[in-house]
Amino acid sequence: AQSVSQHNHHVILSEAASLELGCNYSYGGTVNLFWYVQYPGQHLQLLLKYFSGDPLVKGIKGFEAEFIKSKFSFNLRKPSVQWSDTAEYFCAVNVPSGGGNKLTFGTGTQLKVEL
Amino acid sequence: EAQVTQNPRYLITVTGKKLTVTCSQNMNHEYMSWYRQDPGLGLRQIYYSMNVEVTDKGDVPEGYKVSRKEKRNFPLILESPSPNQTSLYFCASSSNWLSYEQYFGPGTRLTVT
């Protein structure tokens, strides 16, 4: 079964700092990759997704992620964070199969952006 | 507005008292799913449904039941809740099982004492 690792559990940054959150997955075949964000007290929202094609994907709110197949990674980046980016970020992977549309999530990274 | 709704949003109950958390979507989605979110564990899938009357177990189905009698509704049933089911629960839907983008509900925070 596939698994997802997010190594940074808590990240604290100042406004305007650059962000990179790590995500690694374990599965040797074709995968679909996602980053979700959960603002305090809210439900999960999709930030960006990768299915195929250009490994550098751009999402909402200035976020982007790069799929590096050789490293089994899908790191999330933002050049300049804002206070409003304070949230929990989840990486997720889906293995296309007949067993349902299951997303396997990482344990999440809590990002706090300080003014 | 396209959305997934859950009720109740917050629930405190006692061990053994049956409860149901409702989930409804207005997007005519075929695929629906339940997850639980626990600190340090991320989200784990409980059950999913690929269409009406078709349900299957996810990673952590023990202690839960589901039903899918209508396309729009996918209730989560805890027949005899226990404290280890204290968690934050999310319902999600997508247009079909080949559509990997899922839409999440607002969550239900359940406490079992």
Side-chain angles (χ1 to χ4, degrees):
Chain A
Q2 65 271 25
S3 64
V4 180
S5 298
Q6 292 181 245
H7 305 294
N8 313 103
H9 298 298
H10 292 90
V11 174
I12 301 174
L13 295 173
S14 300
E15 269 205 326
S18 65
L19 170 71
E20 180 160 2
L21 301 182
C23 172
N24 289 91
Y25 66 92
S26 64
Y27 185 76
T30 302
V31 293
N32 300 312
L33 296 157
F34 306 81
W35 276 98
Y36 282 85
V37 60
Q38 186 177 29
Y39 298 103
Q42 295 190 27
H43 60 284
L44 278 80
Q45 301 173 43
L46 183 66
L47 265 182
L48 48 79
K49 60 191 176 187
Y50 173 80
F51 291 171
S52 64
D54 188 344
L56 183 63
V57 292
K58 295 189 184 301
I60 61 172
K61 305 185 180 186
F63 286 91
E64 65 179 31
E66 185 175 13
F67 170 53
I68 303 179
K69 189 174 182 179
S70 61
K71 294 184 178 180
F72 299 90
S73 70
F74 189 57
N75 293 353
L76 181 71
R77 300 194 292 249
K78 186 171 184 179
S80 176
V81 295
Q82 301 172 304
W83 177 80
S84 57
D85 292 325
T86 294
E88 190 159 18
Y89 293 80
F90 292 93
C91 182
V93 64
N94 165 267
V95 175
S97 69
N101 193 354
K102 185 176 79 171
L103 287 171
T104 299
F105 286 85
T107 53
T109 296
Q110 188 71 51
L111 171 66
K112 181 179 180 181
V113 180
E114 297 177 331
L115 296 170
Chain B
E1 180 189 356
Q3 60 182 349
V4 179
T5 57
Q6 294 178 228
N7 281 292
R9 295 288 313 279
Y10 302 90
L11 178 60
I12 301 174
T13 190
V14 296
T15 300
K17 185 177 182 182
K18 181 180 178 179
L19 66 92
T20 299
V21 183
T22 65
C23 173
S24 183
Q25 49 90 7
N26 62 0
M27 296 169 279
N28 201 35
H29 283 173
E30 291 184 352
Y31 183 94
M32 298 185 74
S33 180
W34 276 102
Y35 295 85
R36 61 178 287 174
Q37 182 182 13
D38 301 291
L41 296 176
L43 283 85
R44 295 174 293 168
Q45 191 183 55
I46 304 170
Y47 268 95
Y48 65 91
S49 169
M50 295 173 72
N51 213 326
V52 176
E53 301 293 359
V54 181
T55 64
D56 207 348
K57 297 176 181 178
D59 293 323
V60 288
E62 294 77 21
Y64 304 95
K65 287 174 59 177
V66 293
S67 70
R68 188 89 182 274
K69 293 183 170 55
E70 308 166 277
K71 185 181 263 192
R72 65 182 292 128
N73 297 322
F74 190 45
L76 179 69
I77 303 156
L78 285 72
E79 295 270 2
S80 183
S82 61
N84 65 12
Q85 293 179 298
T86 293
S87 187
L88 179 58
Y89 291 87
F90 288 100
C91 181
S93 74
S94 62
S95 56
N96 57 62
W97 73 273
L98 289 174
S99 172
Y100 304 108
E101 182 172 349
Q102 295 190 30
Y103 297 84
F104 284 82
T108 295
R109 186 166 291 283
L110 171 66
T111 302
V112 183
T113 61

